[in-house]
Amino acid sequence: MSSTQQPSSKKQTLFLASLIILWYSSNIGVLLLNKYLLSNYGFKFPIFLTMCHMSACAFFSYISIVFIKLVPLQPIKSRPQFLKIATLSVVFCCSVVGGNISLRYLPVSFNQAVGATTPFFTALFAYLMTFKREAWVTYAALVPVVTGVVIASGGEPAFHWFGFIMCISATAARAFKSVLQGILLSSEGEMLNSMNLLLYMSPIAVLVLVPTALIMEPNVLEVIISLGRQHRYMWLLLFINSTLAYSANLSNFLVTKHTSALTLQVLGNAKGAVAVVISILLFRNPVTAVGIGGYTMTILGVVAYGEAKRRFR
């Protein structure tokens, strides 16, 4: 009996390890490629880049759900439900566009430090929008989260105010979308898993981003065609980048499904740290002891917040 269970356990461990590697490589890969395209490659169109990501998510979501049947298709049942999804899609667009804009001005390492403050904004919006209160210990754990970013900002050699504002806005929008999703799609008949939600949000996002890109980035097509002629791998990089954007969402769904909430939180915190180290090695952006100390304080605060929330739920 034990000999039968052992291979099964090994297969499960190997499967989980593969999922985690896919999750890490997809998330870190899309982040680093975004930075490379937007800062080092002359591709200065974050809105158009986000539109490419959403187009890939729409296409691959349709293939994986309708044809491959990775998850059951959950149809939209009413007009109010569609409007709620459309609202979430616009907020989602704002968070992704803001994050991509910030990468034009900030190093990935500092971008990740600011992004780690998501729990602070989530707790803030949850309190303001749903009057949901946590234990005082949980709120106390958020103090080092914010303090760490303040310290990291002071110690960041490449600090840029506009990039910082975009990054903070993107982080707040991501938290706002999470809380809003819990409010809008909370009823039993309207709840959607993350893959079905992505299937419906992505096309709406594309419809919003196409006119936005044409208005705010008017010469985007001309420059991209020119870049494509100058750099033979530009279209391939754009395709890989967009595919990784979908892969990041897919792997996040699968890791969430096959692991516990605590494991997911620990892996998520480690993922941010890995992204910071790799980005510093690749882009050679200068870092200071103050900046590293601030980021470390933020991560420790996020860990303490997660633990406090789990214990005092």
Side-chain angles (χ1 to χ4, degrees), residues 160-224:
H160 190 285
W161 268 110
F162 180 69
F164 176 71
I165 290 167
M166 285 293 100
C167 197
I168 279 285
S169 300
T171 304
R174 187 161 57 245
F176 180 67
K177 182 245 173 191
S178 175
V179 176
L180 191 64
Q181 183 177 329
I183 296 170
L184 295 183
L185 301 178
S186 58
S187 65
E188 192 66 34
E190 292 185 336
M191 287 178 68
L192 298 172
N193 63 48
S194 60
M195 295 312 296
N196 273 274
L197 188 59
L198 186 66
L199 171 68
Y200 296 123
M201 285 199 309
S202 302
I204 297 170
V206 172
L207 291 175
V208 172
L209 290 167
V210 167
T212 306
L214 292 174
I215 293 167
M216 298 186 71
E217 300 169 343
N219 62 334
V220 59
L221 295 176
E222 180 186 339
V223 175
I224 285 174

Side-chain angles (χ1 to χ4, degrees), residues 30 33 235-245:
V30 74
L33 260 178
W235 296 108
L236 179 62
L237 282 176
L238 199 56
F239 174 76
I240 292 172
N241 183 247
S242 301
T243 305
L244 283 173

Side-chain angles (χ1 to χ4, degrees), residues 3-24:
S3 60
T4 310
Q5 288 176 344
Q6 196 171 6
S8 175
S9 176
K10 284 183 178 179
K11 282 183 180 178
Q12 181 70 7
T13 304
L14 186 63
F15 174 70
L16 282 175
S18 302
L19 277 185
I20 292 164
I21 290 169
L22 176 65
W23 186 42
Y24 269 48

